[in-house]
Amino acid sequence: GITYLDHAGSALFPESLLKAFTDDLRNNVYGNPHSQNISSKLTYDTIEHVRYRILQHFHTTAEDYTIIFTSGCTAALKLVAEAFPWIPEGTKQPSSRFCYLTDSHTSVVGMRAITASMNVLSVPIKQKEILLSEKNRLPPEEQNCTTPHLFSFPAQSNFSGTKYPLSWIQDIKSGELHPIKIPGKWFVLLDAASYVSSSPLDLGVHQADFIPISFYKIFGFPTGLGALLVNNRIAPLLRKTYFGGGTAAAYLAGEDFYFPRKSIAERFEDGTVSFLDIIALKHGFDVLEKLTGGMEKIKQHTFALAHYTYTVLSTLKYANGAPVVRIYSDTDFSNPDVQGPIINFNVLDENGEVIGFSEVDKMASLYNIHVRTGCFCNTGACQMHLGISNEDIQRNLQAGHVCGDDIDLVDGRPTGSVRISFGYMSSFEDAQTFLKFIIATRLSKSDTEIPFQSSVTKLMTESVPDDHPSFNSADKLSPIPHISDRELVNNSSATKMIVNWQPPEAEAESIRAAVSETAVPTCRRGGKPITVTNIYLYPIKSCSAFEVTEWPVGNQGLLYDRNWMVVNQNGVCMTQKQEPRLCLVNPSIDLKKNVMVIQAEGMDPISISLEENTGKEAVICESKVCSHRVKTYDCGERIADWFSLHLGRPCRLIRQSSDMKNRSHQKNTKGLASATNISLSLVNEAQYLLINVASILQLKEHISARLEEPLEIEELIRRFRANIVISAPESFEEEEWAEISIGALRFQVVGPCSRCQIICIDQQSGERNKEFLQSLSAARGRKTNFGIYLMNQPLRSSFPDILSVGSQVLPVLEEKTAIQSPTSNEEKCSG
């Protein structure tokens, strides 16, 4: 087999990652995320879920960082160089500086070409200069300068595996360390591409301003995809000139007018992102966690292998006592916090002369060992460790040597070295195979037994916890391309259950008093009184309605309305658009027993407690509902198995977490003082959706005529999935209202509901009929508005508010303008 020892170049992808990804593609249709159709919406939501997964992996949130997808780490670095708010030389203000550690990747050093074109000076910094930077401390009078400077350093050297102190980030930003003596404000770019492949990075603690990464370094697949994590404190200062598809909120082709999108990610992601590759990342994270147990275990596992190999390699000697290798390292491989799983060396002969890396590489290939040779796109570290001067570099170029070729010696001196690196798939056998190769090709047969073999077992068991199976069996982490994991690691479709919720008598009396005190006089032109005829809640988003006659109102709308939702294997919300059979799932709430009972034909009923799971086992994750970010927790395997069996596809039930029930409404809600702070559940647009029976009856005539068959009014009401159904005398008069009162409750009208294809789904059978949306469009003059969104204006009362069937509805008319449709870039529905 192959012994792969270039994990710093690229990780290898496991078979299970490809299978999970291809299964995903077989089971779902992913369209261009810039479109508005169902498949495109699925893509957009999945991409947003992946963004949160990345942030979670680095122990941070969208409050602190934004993910900008790029083609790789190099593109991310180029983006920073182009967008950083540099102040050039020659202005009245002090000019900016770009400083970088000399032990940096070519792509970091290359940023200086862009800064030079902007008339900004670049300054290379050596490690010892940073450590001695106390001398650069500024006098107090110069410490208030705000000129932005950028300092870049690698979290881990891709040449030697040296891990630079992450404490530098805060020390430089706070002024404790000064790369150079110049007034201004320092920002930090942390090149994490090499580091994150084998070590956990906590951005909650080490808050760099820019973190570029490449995902193939972590997962092996997909390639050509990276990201720039941008600290939201610096993000608004970034500048951008070119604008590509998807980045503009508006622009003119005939005039110089362009207005960028508000989202930092959308502003900088020119054109269509590599959406299928992004979706593959979700499976990469899943598989990585399944096979390894997390980045901390990877860190310990890979370091243990590197420590063992370094220990043996450094002790190998020829018969004359000369070392077999010269190792280029800044550490003694004793601490995984300062040394990564990279060993850089050159092989020597008995006289201490370097054997060219090209020869070593060819020999290794004969043994099916894959290593990396050269300078590894890090000339600074190569010069430092090999003692190559600037003049040597230029002389070597004249001799015909260029980066990446096989000219390994010029005048007997090395132009580069050999690098081996370990990843999470590497095994103890890989290390032994490599050491045996070095011994077999350099030492006599009497010296072929590898020293310290007995001690390595102790080392491995001490360094790597044995509570995860993937690190206990070498064959389960076999270092072969396209790795085989080998298993490493019963009622109607609508719930018609009339519920009477009764508060204690004393509270009920106070509520009645509150009603009489707070009822708003109607401003509606005469006519018959308007009353509430039906109340529905939808405990599980996009599942069947639960009808009640009285129900308590919480701070998010009807109590328990859309508190749960079903998600697919990628954690993306499933609605009837993708899975019409959700309407056949019938949840009902029993307030006395404090449970939700879930039923479906052919399935045994299953119940779930209404008490929120706040225990340690509740894993909080971030999801997205109609462009809004929500925090949720999983309801467990028992419920997941029930839904997966019923729907015939992997899915789970999640519930909104009380950690984030302040998802605010951002629409223009004139007259609603606290609107921007009103809390939403897992609804799409607003807390309530109201429809009018009179409007339903008028629409029924149009649809019945087109269908040429009778249509029950109740079926049509259920298709529109409203919370509140009223009987007003005139059809569509609700669209003229600005506010309404129902009993003691006051509501602000925030806009009409623009309908989607969910109204085409029969809520009793799950069957689709496109005629309904077409009829609505024809009846409304090519519009698909039906029903109005409401937000609650809560009473300042300690008593629970109650919504009841039969209550009178008192509307206040809109003064002049018609209700505007919610400002969003996607079609809405009640879900």
Side-chain angles (χ1 to χ4, degrees), residues 478-656:
S478 172
I480 301 173
H482 313 292
I483 302 299
S484 174
D485 303 295
R486 290 188 255 178
E487 295 307 317
L488 275 177
V489 216
N490 294 338
N491 66 344
S492 66
S493 62
T495 304
K496 180 86 173 183
M497 184 173 180
I498 308 303
V499 178
N500 292 289
W501 183 88
Q502 296 291 343
E505 184 57 35
E507 293 184 8
E509 186 60 37
S510 298
I511 292 170
R512 283 191 286 272
V515 170
S516 63
E517 291 175 7
T518 59
V520 180
T522 179
C523 296
R524 173 175 165 268
R525 298 179 295 274
K528 296 180 181 179
I530 304 171
T531 58
V532 175
T533 62
N534 303 83
I535 299 171
Y536 300 99
L537 63 147
Y538 305 84
I540 304 176
K541 182 178 176 66
S542 235
C543 290
S544 180
F546 175 51
E547 185 173 6
V548 296
T549 56
E550 277 190 331
W551 199 256
V553 171
N555 66 347
Q556 293 183 299
L558 293 171
L559 192 63
Y560 301 119
D561 182 45
R562 296 178 177 92
N563 268 204
W564 293 264
M565 68 180 178
V566 182
V567 296
N568 67 11
Q569 71 272 25
N570 291 333
V572 174
C573 174
M574 292 170 59
T575 70
Q576 290 183 31
K577 290 180 183 180
Q578 299 90 24
E579 185 49 81
R581 288 176 296 173
L582 283 170
C583 71
L584 306 180
V585 175
N586 305 298
S588 59
I589 302 289
D590 190 324
L591 293 174
K592 292 182 179 179
K593 294 182 179 179
N594 204 35
V595 296
M596 174 174 67
V597 179
I598 308 170
Q599 297 174 293
E601 186 175 353
M603 300 289 293
D604 292 332
I606 193 169
S607 63
I608 184 171
S609 173
L610 299 181
E611 292 292 332
E612 185 168 347
N613 185 357
T614 57
K616 293 182 179 179
E617 70 278 6
V619 178
I620 303 297
C621 60
E622 290 187 327
S623 302
K624 207 144 194 196
V625 176
C626 208
S627 300
H628 300 290
R629 186 163 50 88
V630 294
K631 282 191 176 180
T632 59
Y633 67 85
D634 194 281
C635 294
E637 296 298 330
R638 182 177 63 96
I639 302 292
D641 290 345
W642 191 95
F643 273 94
S644 298
L645 179 61
H646 175 64
L647 298 176
R649 59 189 295 184
C651 53
R652 307 190 70 83
L653 184 69
I654 61 176
R655 183 180 184 181
Q656 186 178 19

Side-chain angles (χ1 to χ4, degrees), residues 467-482:
D467 57 353
H468 198 280
S470 62
F471 291 142
N472 295 335
S473 174
D475 67 339
K476 293 177 182 178
L477 287 173
S478 172
I480 301 173
H482 313 292

